[in-house]
Amino acid sequence: MRAKIQGRVYKFGDNINSDIIIPGRYLIYVDRERLAQHAFEMLGEGFPDKLRSFDILVAGRNFGCGSAREQAATAIQGLGIKAVVAASFARTFYRNAINDGLPIVECPALAAAVKEGDEIEIDLEAGKILFSGREFVFPRMPDSVRKILELGGLAEYLKSQLEQQSNAT
Amino acid sequence: MTIAEKILAAKSGRSSVTPGEIVEAYPDLVMSHTATWRSAGVMQRVGATKLYDPDRLAIVLDHISPAKTEKYAADQQTSRNFARKNGVTKFYDVDAGIAHLVLMEAGHVVPGDLIVGTDSHCTIYGSLGALGTGIGYTEVASVWITGKLWLKVPESVRIVLEGRFPAGVYAKDLMLHLIGRLGADGCSYKSVEFYGGSAADLNVSERMTMTNLAMEMGVKCAFFPPDAKTAEYLRDKLSDPARYHPVYADPEAAYEQEIPVDISKLEPMVACPHEVENTKPIGEVAGTHIDQAFLGSCANAKYEDLVVAAGILKGRRIHPGVRMIVTPGSKKIMLEAMNSGVLQTLLESGGMVTNPGCGACAGDGGTLSDGEVCLSTANRNFIGRMGSNKSQIYLSSPATLAASAIRGAIADPREFLNR
């Protein structure tokens, strides 16, 4: 995980559910590129390919609501998206994003201020987003949770924990 | 402390906790369904070989059951082998039914327990006073190995129910009313506790419907405080009756808000495409043509739900333009419905009955083509969830579903009562 994430924004509205992000019939895949081929396809023509030219998704309230499917975060990463900023997240998506190593930021003010194509820079370490010369602050994650994200997700975190344990014994 | 605070304190070895705090908690049960093979893959990938405690695992192969492609078959085989190799005794194969209902029927859900699982509708375990909440498959693997996970202590909300349901109005209508009123994130990250005179009147099946649907307003968990009905439900189910130790909120517990609801004022409700919060009273959508009626899902395919639908369908025929798919929630429910004649009524009325499981709600059969409309008793009507993104899903109670299947269009169940 990079401390600073910069790029072009694609903008979604409220209540983007995880069935939209990745329909249930594709959960047979685990590979992120394979999942990404079907991400957001329920939204119709042009999806998901038009998202590939953007770097950061910005959404309204309750992003990732619905099913607890972890592949929602995986599929977004497969599209080359580097972070998601939303006014708020559903709790299952929030956890899954961290566990999948996808940086997420809750920042209602930024979500309201940007539109498609805008350039923003997220500074995860400082807890702020730069947009058009303005600073938007957001609360930093607890250190224990950030650690998972920094290592690239829960599987990598677990692996490092297990390695530490076996080295200790 | 509230119920959620008490359970999270107990499971993290603390004397007290406050909302917003993060605790390391040890769940009593970790449920995994069709996703089990993925969690097993994660375990292999991280190089773990030992489970924290195999007795805390429960595995139910409920989505896409039995397998419909070789890929599903291979994945299910991976899950079976994992259970066998690791000595997981709470293993239920593709014949058993929907994980949530199977685990509650088997006595694996006990008041005061902390239960996590690969399904957002784990909130249903609160119908018996357990804290149930959904997590992803990697996190399930993590809990399998380490026995624990981090959880934020949620704020709690009291929903106080008073009055009696008018005829034709059910627990599903109450939840659709609440979701419409509060929104899809109306209780985001919150723990909801149901109280009031009518909460005590509701049977366990109705409580299951409500704690299940509570997920659709964003809750972390939802509870009915255990009472005589809970004890009665669990009486012959617990292998060790001493495990029954209900957790209640303290009289001075702090709630973020209290929401009173007079259920005697409610009408049958329908959630319209493509969000559950898009609810309308039956009068505003009556007459909407339907092609398919799905009586199933963890929300409304319990025995009591099938009885309600059969009560309306008895001696009547469904509309020739409607396919009515009945998917009982579990084998036990199916057997009960078979023995009581309920299945026969549903079949004779023109419906078809599938094997128990998640069925069409999880996209296993009953797929919709462009322009088709399905009325469903499930908990989600998201775009494309049952097939084409040009199809439409409406949600209702089993009674509204039965009435609508007869008419061939969304219909008010009250037209079929007392006749």
Side-chain angles (χ1 to χ4, degrees):
Chain A
M1 185 189 74
R2 286 169 301 182
K4 285 189 182 174
I5 300 162
Q6 213 174 349
R8 285 178 74 223
V9 159
Y10 185 84
K11 185 85 184 280
F12 281 112
D14 296 336
N15 294 333
I16 295 295
N17 65 63
S18 51
D19 272 84
I20 289 177
I21 301 172
I22 185 71
R25 50 190 156 280
Y26 304 117
L27 301 183
I28 47 169
Y29 305 126
V30 279
D31 177 73
R32 59 170 67 175
E33 276 72 32
R34 196 77 190 266
L35 285 163
Q37 286 170 16
H38 301 285
F40 298 97
E41 72 176 25
M42 285 300 144
L43 297 179
E45 220 154 294
F47 285 97
D49 286 336
K50 70 176 182 193
L51 295 174
R52 294 184 193 271
S53 59
F54 296 90
D55 310 289
I56 297 167
L57 301 183
V58 177
R61 285 169 22 231
N62 208 22
F63 185 83
C65 61
S67 160
R69 62 189 62 160
E70 184 172 328
Q71 292 92 328
T74 318
I76 288 174
Q77 296 221 70
L79 287 171
I81 299 294
K82 293 181 282 193
V84 185
V85 183
S88 65
F89 291 94
R91 62 163 290 278
T92 45
F93 182 84
Y94 190 84
R95 287 189 89 89
N96 285 331
I98 292 164
N99 292 337
D100 209 59
L102 171 66
I104 41 170
V105 173
E106 237 174 46
C107 187
L110 185 279
V114 297
K115 60 179 189 324
E116 184 176 320
D118 284 343
E119 290 270 348
I120 65 171
E121 184 185 276
I122 307 169
D123 187 335
L124 291 167
E125 195 61 46
K128 64 186 182 188
I129 301 174
L130 288 174
F131 165 57
S132 174
R134 290 166 65 193
E135 267 189 24
F136 296 79
V137 294
F138 58 87
R140 290 187 44 178
M141 281 179 191
D143 287 342
S144 55
V145 180
R146 270 179 63 85
K147 181 90 183 149
I148 299 170
L149 201 50
E150 273 165 19
L151 288 172
L154 185 59
E156 285 67 26
Y157 176 83
L158 267 175
K159 211 167 163 180
S160 75
Q161 296 285 103
L162 291 167
E163 278 164 9
Q164 274 176 32
Q165 274 173 25
S166 69
N167 290 343
T169 52
Chain B
M1 288 190 283
T2 64
I3 302 178
E5 290 161 15
K6 276 195 173 172
I7 293 177
L8 289 174
K11 302 304 169 187
S12 58
R14 306 264 298 270
S15 56
S16 74
V17 295
T18 50
E21 253 189 284
I22 289 186
V23 298
E24 274 207 332
Y26 286 78
D28 300 277
L29 194 69
V30 190
M31 183 281 286
S32 60
H33 51 40
T34 308
T36 302
W37 65 276
R38 286 187 215 109
S39 306
V42 171
M43 207 170 146
Q44 204 169 22
R45 206 171 103 213
V46 303
T49 49
K50 211 167 152 283
L51 298 175
Y52 175 78
D53 177 4
D55 285 341
R56 297 193 189 204
L57 272 67
I59 297 172
V60 189
L61 304 183
D62 59 2
H63 292 52
I64 323 291
S65 57
K68 67 175 179 187
T69 65
E70 284 181 45
K71 173 73 168 74
Y72 283 115
D75 295 342
Q76 288 175 1
Q77 204 52 14
T78 302
S79 300
R80 277 183 203 106
N81 290 340
F82 172 85
R84 198 177 303 124
K85 191 173 140 238
N86 289 283
V88 177
T89 54
K90 297 183 184 81
F91 175 80
Y92 300 87
D93 216 312
V94 292
D95 60 317
I98 305 173
H100 304 310
L101 303 178
V102 170
L103 296 188
M104 288 190 284
E105 285 168 357
H108 299 320
V109 175
V110 184
D113 274 3
L114 171 62
I115 304 173
V116 294
T118 53
D119 195 284
S120 60
H121 291 112
C122 284
T123 55
I124 195 173
Y125 304 133
S127 58
L128 298 177
L131 194 165
T133 199
I135 58 175
Y137 68 83
T138 301
E139 193 147 34
V140 157
S142 175
V143 183
W144 283 353
I145 301 163
T146 66
K148 62 183 179 178
L149 80 169
W150 67 271
L151 286 170
K152 191 159 102 177
V153 180
E155 298 268 4
S156 296
V157 172
R158 273 168 65 93
I159 297 183
V160 182
L161 310 171
E162 295 298 347
R164 287 234 149 124
F165 282 129
V169 179
Y170 301 85
K172 180 64 157 288
D173 300 300
L174 164 57
M175 288 314 293
L176 292 180
H177 162 83
L178 275 173
I179 296 161
R181 182 169 139 190
L182 303 175
D185 60 352
C187 287
S188 196
Y189 286 90
K190 306 278 194 304
S191 170
V192 165
E193 297 177 12
F194 290 102
Y195 292 99
S198 34
D201 287 342
L202 296 173
N203 63 38
V204 170
S205 169
E206 294 171 307
R207 296 173 185 187
M208 288 178 186
T209 298
M210 291 181 59
T211 47
N212 181 288
L213 263 294
M215 176 59 207
E216 306 311 317
M217 44 187 197
V219 305
K220 177 171 213 153
C221 49
F223 297 96
F224 274 83
D227 60 10
K229 290 190 167 121
T230 321
E232 173 61 24
Y233 177 86
L234 290 171
R235 196 159 51 92
D236 302 319
K237 295 186 172 72
L238 298 184
S239 54
D240 176 11
R243 285 207 67 211
Y244 189 83
H245 40 73
V247 171
Y248 300 105
D250 294 323
E252 69 277 14
Y255 292 87
E256 193 219 30
Q257 58 171 317
E258 176 167 317
I259 302 167
V261 185
D262 180 355
I263 69 171
S264 65
K265 300 257 169 34
L266 299 177
E267 291 185 82
M269 297 292 292
V270 173
C272 301
H274 297 288
E275 290 182 23
V276 189
E277 68 173 24
N278 188 15
T279 60
K280 294 193 173 132
I282 187 83
E284 290 181 31
V285 279
T288 304
H289 164 87
I290 62 168
D291 302 287
Q292 181 167 294
F294 174 59
L295 177 54
S297 92
C298 49
N300 275 126
K302 293 165 271 94
Y303 178 69
E304 293 80 354
D305 300 318
L306 305 186
V307 168
V308 166
I312 289 174
L313 288 162
K314 179 104 186 150
R316 296 187 171 101
R317 292 282 304 175
I318 65 168
H319 191 276
V322 174
R323 315 178 287 272
M324 186 173 76
I325 303 172
V326 181
T327 302
S330 71
K331 179 186 273 191
K332 191 166 173 289
I333 291 167
M334 192 166 185
L335 279 167
E336 202 175 349
M338 190 175 81
N339 292 333
S340 68
V342 161
L343 277 194
Q344 189 169 348
T345 301
L346 295 169
L347 286 166
E348 283 175 352
S349 70
M352 60 189 287
V353 178
T354 77
N355 62 298
C358 302
C361 179
D364 185 11
T367 307
L368 302 173
S369 73
D370 285 1
E372 284 197 308
V373 180
C374 179
L375 181 64
S376 161
T377 60
N379 36 35
R380 288 192 177 131
N381 59 348
F382 299 155
I383 187 167
R385 186 168 163 95
M386 296 177 76
S388 163
N389 65 351
K390 295 180 186 69
S391 63
Q392 299 197 308
I393 307 168
Y394 291 81
L395 307 177
S396 77
S397 72
T400 299
L401 181 116
S404 307
I406 295 166
R407 291 266 194 264
I410 294 176
D412 192 329
R414 293 172 296 193
E415 292 169 20
F416 292 89
L417 299 173
N418 311 317
R419 283 209 298 175

